[in-house]
Amino acid sequence: MDITPIIDPLNPAQREAVTSSTPALLVLAGAGSGKTRVLVHRIAWLMQVEGTSPHGILAVTFTNKAASEMRSRIENLLNIPAQSLWVGTFHGLAHRLLRRHAKEAGLPSAFQILDSDDQHRLIRRLLKTLDLDEARWPPRQVQWFINAHKEEGRRARHLAESYDPFQKQMQRIYLAYEETCERSGLVDFAELLLRAHEFLRDTPEVLDHYQRRFHHVLVDEFQDTNRIQYAWLRLLTRERENLFVVGDDDQSIYSWRGAKIENLHKFQKDYPSHRLIRLEQNYRSTSSILNAANALITHNEGRLGKTLWTEGGIGEPVSVYAAFNEQEEAYFVAERIKHWTQEGNARRDAAILYRSNAQSRQFEEKLLAMGIPYRVYGGLRFFERAEIKDALAYLRLISNRHDDPSFERVVNTPVRGIGAKTLDLVRDLARAEKCSLWQAAETLCRDAAVPTRARSPLSGFLQLIETLTLDTAELPLWEKVQHVVPASGLRAHYEKEKGEQAEARVENLDELVNAARQFEYEPQLDTELSKLDQFLSHAALEAGENQSDEYEDCVQLMTLHAAKGLEFDLVFIVGLEEGLFPSLQSLEEPSRLEEERRLCYVGITRAKRKLFLIYAETRRLYGKETYPRPSRFLREIPSEHLQEVRMRGNTGRPIAFSQTSPSTNDNGGVFKLGQRVRHAKFGEGVILQYEGEGSQARVQVNFAESGIKWLMLAYANLQRP
DNA sequence: TGTTAATAAATTTTT
DNA sequence: TTTATTAACA
């Protein structure tokens, strides 16, 4: 057998990892060091050389995108379909497991999945039912409470009795939430993992089966695993220590979502036979860029340690630009991108990375004004759109009458005269009888004591669902969807809605029919689950694309988080200011600050050829002018790795300067707007504006300690700090 | 029942 | 500044 295609494209460290005879392996893979390649080639090696059946391999990722990329790369490398291989996300695999063993795991066979939005709505409704004030028990916080406990493996009944009334109430809500989900046959994201874990843990014969079955378990982005995910991996591999993980502690940026870097240390303890291999050769960036990244990340403590290097050249220096304000920041970036494309480069190879989504606006405006096509990542995905979720809710009710969140969602959408009063009756009864909203509604419709004004629209709704069910019973999935969209009245409802968005909504509803049609051709999960139920699960588990116009050559705008795993020739990291990046909320806590630093590290290592680090001297934030200090991350990179740039064809005077004070631009060229200065008495500050000329020139300075003051330039004796 | 005015809040988001 | 939510209103 020819193993050269598996071995040849690898460097020594990669090769060591791929061919290791030790099954427990920790691959510390730096940014751009070829971690996916190692994973893919490892799997190929196991199958082709060690003769492991594809059946015996489990590969786990975090995103659907990563999973499908891995699968297709394996297929390309081996030139065979990799269907029998279990490659998927933690949630997808847990889902698969639970579908297979639904009964044994204590779930109804047609259980459905709640996404975060559904969960949030359910919690809000629950609070109302429990007659709790949302101001005191904010739904987001409740959601966080529940998910955090589930991720730690704790159910409501496991929580210790608390004397803190707040805590106590939270626990009660958690318990009630669990009951509601149970009754409605619903499972949230965290529940998928928790349930799968409990099931394996408590069902020895099944656990034994999977332990035997999976000869090798491989995990991507291991630094992002949370506690329950680790426990799940541990269960499957504890007997044979057959766990191969790839990760990078320096790129852990999701601890706020429960990711535990500690799992890397835990792995080392729990798998004593393991080997550790570092992938430090970088194939992405110039050494200028890597130097900056390496220097920055050394400011973090407790790292496993790693230094990226490259055989490639020095490349262009990393540039730092101090913009006057956020407008000028955007102008500068747009201008550079214009030159970049004029030099014959593609727009899609340029990216603007920011800390928070709100920052995208100014860049969009400038790019739009200059006629540069761009694409903003993030935002609602297809299956998360309100109109799509409405349609799915009808479909869910067709499949399962007791799906309370779906009932709530569409019982009066489109409006059919079922008001708050009527719904309260339904909810109260459901609560009293501990039954579903559907059952409660049925009972009420038979109850002569209920006024007809309330009864008839309600029974109309029940009738509608029954009719939809009957009418679509024999239809294939896509025709079911095609039938339900208009017959539910949703299409008409959105058609008569006004605004530009409404049109898109109707289009989306039509697109849902296409999505269903496409789904019909996709490979089946091996269950007796109806196609409809499979489609609904698919919709929850894979929320779909953000935007569609991927073919056009566009500048890419996204958050630093969204950029993880991507690479671009030209990268701008913008808004490098204290309080913005690092974010205000992270300044107090060292551990959160370190995460911000890792985020910056991730950003820097996205750049292949040229990197700009940009901050503004003045920034309008929440409608107020602020005078932030440049980010500490800039100071943490030694200046020999950085190069300050000024606007092209401009002797250090920002463009905005002439706009702000067109007549008074002569102060000897020493001071400019937004510049930091030091005053003997008032300390450090920033120049806001000035007026007058020569000996009459006055400047307004915002001092950190003393506030905003006007000073005569001639007497103030301002220094550059 | 849907619209409007006031008020509060304000990261990051793989599933 | 924008955005979401809520209370008051027609």
Side-chain angles (χ1 to χ4, degrees), chain A residues 35 115 199 362 504 672:
Chain A
K35 78 180 162 66
D115 69 18
F199 168 60
Q362 66 213 46
K672 58 178 184 179

Side-chain angles (χ1 to χ4, degrees), chain A residues 276-474:
Chain A
L276 178 119
I277 293 174
R278 286 186 169 79
L279 303 184
E280 298 176 292
Q281 182 173 4
N282 176 291
Y283 295 96
R284 179 185 295 156
S285 314
T286 65
S287 54
S288 293
I289 291 163
L290 294 182
N291 286 341
N294 284 329
L296 176 73
I297 204 64
T298 45
H299 287 84
N300 273 4
E301 284 177 14
R303 297 199 306 139
L304 290 171
K306 199 166 23 49
T307 305
L308 295 176
W309 60 277
T310 177
E311 282 179 349
I314 286 273
E316 283 189 57
V318 174
S319 295
V320 176
Y321 180 67
F324 167 58
N325 60 17
E326 77 282 351
Q327 299 280 321
E328 209 254 326
E329 176 186 52
Y331 178 75
F332 175 81
V333 171
E335 198 63 24
R336 295 313 286 228
I337 290 174
K338 199 170 89 191
H339 291 302
W340 164 261
T341 49
Q342 278 167 357
E343 286 161 13
N345 297 294
R347 283 184 286 266
R348 69 167 61 87
D349 295 326
I352 306 172
L353 309 182
Y354 36 78
R355 177 67 242 262
S356 77
N357 286 306
Q359 286 168 264
S360 76
R361 232 195 69 191
Q362 66 213 46
F363 294 98
E364 293 184 59
E365 282 170 6
K366 282 286 185 298
L367 291 168
L368 196 67
M370 292 174 65
I372 302 170
Y374 63 88
R375 184 163 112 97
V376 186
Y377 282 72
L380 278 189
R381 314 240 281 282
F382 183 73
F383 286 112
E384 291 169 350
R385 294 171 186 280
E387 62 277 16
I388 298 302
K389 298 214 74 169
D390 288 344
L392 293 176
Y394 276 99
L395 293 166
R396 284 168 86 135
L397 280 175
I398 288 173
S399 163
N400 169 19
R401 297 290 125 97
H402 310 306
D403 185 329
D404 284 356
S406 295
F407 184 98
E408 287 267 357
R409 185 168 186 113
V410 293
V411 65
N412 200 31
T413 311
V415 280
R416 45 176 72 87
I418 303 174
K421 278 269 162 58
T422 317
L423 278 177
D424 279 341
L425 281 177
V426 180
R427 292 193 193 106
D428 286 347
L429 185 65
R431 190 161 123 78
E433 298 284 315
K434 286 212 179 285
C435 65
S436 66
L437 293 171
W438 178 272
Q439 288 166 319
E442 275 186 329
T443 312
L444 282 176
C445 285
R446 284 192 299 264
D447 187 347
V450 179
T452 348
R453 198 159 12 97
R455 235 166 51 189
S456 73
L458 190 59
S459 93
F461 174 68
L462 301 182
Q463 198 51 245
L464 172 66
I465 299 296
E466 295 288 4
T467 314
L468 288 177
T469 311
L470 278 175
D471 290 352
T472 60
E474 302 299 322

Side-chain angles (χ1 to χ4, degrees), chain A residues 289 292 316-320 569-573 603-605 607 609-613:
Chain A
I289 291 163
E316 283 189 57
V318 174
S319 295
V320 176
D569 286 309
L570 172 64
V571 169
F572 299 87
I573 301 178
I604 292 173
T605 52
R609 284 164 52 198
K610 175 71 191 174
L611 172 67
F612 282 94
L613 303 174

